[in-house]
Amino acid sequence: MTYVVGVDGGNTKTIAFVVDADGRILGAGRGGNSDIYPHGTAVSAVNVIEGAVEQALDHAGLTRDQLAAGVYSLAGADWREDYDEFRDELIKRGLGQSVTVYNDAIGALRAGSPDGTGVVINAGTGAAMGARNAQGQFWHTSYWQDSLGGRDVGYNALRAVRHADIGIEPPTTLTPIVLRFFNVTTCADLLRLFTMRGSQAPSDIQVSKLAPYVLTEAANGDAVARALIIDQARRLVDYALAAARQVGIEHTPFHLVLNGGLFRHASTLLKDAVTAQIHAAAPGVTIHSSRFEPVVGAVMLALEALNIPITATLQDTLAATMPTQATFET
């Protein structure tokens, strides 16, 4: 049998799947942050990736020398030097007879695009935009992009509450929610929590967890929360269109894949705003809500590297053998 590994490596978690040529997920593994930038070296980042792959191999009852191909879709694969360092370290450890590294946006794109082309907006804790054309040319926003996604929504909610407290912006129903979330009673207490000498300020991950509350309050009619979500949609679309331009598909009816936790919220406000704004600029774009998590995109790319077509039957097999949602929880 032929076996491949696909890995989605991010700033909050790293997921690895070992899959056979028919699309059966035989093993899954999980690790923490595998971004080369906070780690500082590829050796340290790949330690996390290797641990996730080993877990997946153990579950599958396989060894790394049985992996015909590995595709690693990774946060921190931003510059050519990053790609080279990641790939050299992965090859050194035998994590695939052939090894390909992509930025994490490209795995997310492949997971949701019918043919692997188009543009992806992946909005979770952070955000990543990428594009790929029919010739295989790809581009990702990387350091061209400002902070976006749940973390950005969370910090903007904090700003709105701070401004509302002193009358710069209108009152918002976000205020009691944010205070309760951080277990404080006043905005001053909230500010002390983030700024006072000797205090341990909440992490970016904690702040990002405000985003679902902002989406809920926006759906419930709070004007401040709604404005934050509409603005988030506008900026996501700006970068999505920029990505399309970089690979020359901006004037074609390309696929736009929406992926990530912000798009899985019960409120469709963000999705609806993105859809309206993209269609105003590019009417022929087809919107897709991704069926799969980004790690499945890495798996698909690994199978395609071996000239195994991604058929409807193979995708159904992937879906039928998917591990529980707990594997993906942040």
Side-chain angles (χ1 to χ4, degrees):
M1 285 294 294
T2 299
Y3 307 104
V4 303
V5 62
V7 172
D8 174 53
N11 282 279
T12 54
K13 62 183 181 295
T14 296
I15 306 291
F17 280 180
V18 170
V19 176
D20 69 17
D22 295 322
R24 280 187 292 269
I25 299 169
L26 305 175
R30 179 180 169 122
N33 181 338
S34 59
D35 187 328
I36 196 172
Y37 283 87
H39 278 274
T41 67
V43 171
S44 178
V46 174
N47 284 343
V48 176
I49 296 167
E50 183 178 35
V53 173
E54 279 295 340
Q55 285 182 40
L57 287 167
D58 287 345
H59 293 162
L62 299 170
T63 56
R64 62 182 70 187
D65 61 301
Q66 293 176 274
L67 296 173
V71 166
Y72 297 84
S73 181
L74 306 174
D78 293 305
W79 301 109
R80 175 48 56 193
E81 294 88 342
D82 304 326
Y83 281 74
D84 292 344
E85 287 186 43
F86 267 129
R87 187 177 60 251
D88 289 349
E89 191 63 30
L90 291 161
I91 290 171
K92 185 187 300 182
R93 303 192 196 195
L95 296 176
Q97 293 172 34
S98 74
V99 168
T100 306
V101 174
Y102 290 102
N103 179 267
D104 59 330
I106 304 305
L109 172 59
R110 186 66 191 93
S113 169
D115 60 5
T117 70
V119 177
V120 64
I121 299 176
N122 192 42
T125 302
M129 261 69 73
R132 189 171 183 241
N133 63 25
Q135 292 72 46
Q137 179 190 2
F138 64 90
W139 186 84
H140 45 87
T141 50
S142 192
Y143 291 109
W144 278 267
Q145 181 186 305
D146 298 328
S147 177
L148 289 168
R151 180 172 53 240
D152 182 62
V153 171
Y155 278 111
N156 284 333
L158 290 173
R159 185 200 67 219
V161 167
R162 186 174 76 246
H163 286 183
D165 189 65
I166 56 175
I168 292 176
E169 292 186 36
T172 170
T173 58
L174 291 172
T175 296
I177 291 169
V178 169
L179 297 181
R180 187 164 57 248
F181 182 87
F182 288 109
N183 196 29
V184 295
T185 55
T186 69
C187 188
D189 291 335
L190 179 68
L191 292 174
R192 289 173 69 89
L193 180 65
F194 277 86
T195 63
M196 185 64 185
R197 288 175 291 112
S199 66
Q200 181 65 49
S203 68
D204 287 354
I205 298 299
Q206 288 174 286
V207 173
S208 75
K209 294 183 186 297
L210 289 173
Y213 296 100
V214 179
L215 282 160
T216 296
E217 291 309 296
N220 289 341
D222 181 75
V224 171
R226 184 178 178 85
L228 293 182
I229 297 304
I230 298 298
D231 183 63
Q232 183 75 191
R234 176 188 61 79
R235 291 186 291 143
L236 290 170
V237 167
D238 283 345
Y239 283 111
L241 291 170
R245 286 193 293 273
Q246 294 301 312
V247 298
I249 61 173
E250 73 274 26
H251 299 304
T252 70
F254 62 83
H255 302 293
L256 177 65
V257 175
L258 306 181
N259 205 344
L262 295 190
F263 291 115
R264 289 193 289 270
H265 190 272
S267 166
T268 63
L269 177 61
L270 181 62
K271 179 182 177 181
D272 293 344
V274 166
T275 300
Q277 292 180 36
I278 199 79
H279 280 159
V285 168
T286 302
I287 309 291
H288 303 271
S289 294
S290 186
R291 180 183 184 186
F292 295 114
E293 295 281 349
V295 64
V296 175
V299 165
M300 291 177 177
L301 290 165
L303 292 168
E304 288 176 327
L306 300 176
N307 296 314
I308 297 171
I310 307 303
T311 64
T313 299
L314 188 145
Q315 292 186 57
D316 289 343
T317 302
L318 284 166
T321 57
M322 194 69 56
T324 65
Q325 189 58 34
T327 302
F328 305 102
E329 294 298 332
T330 299

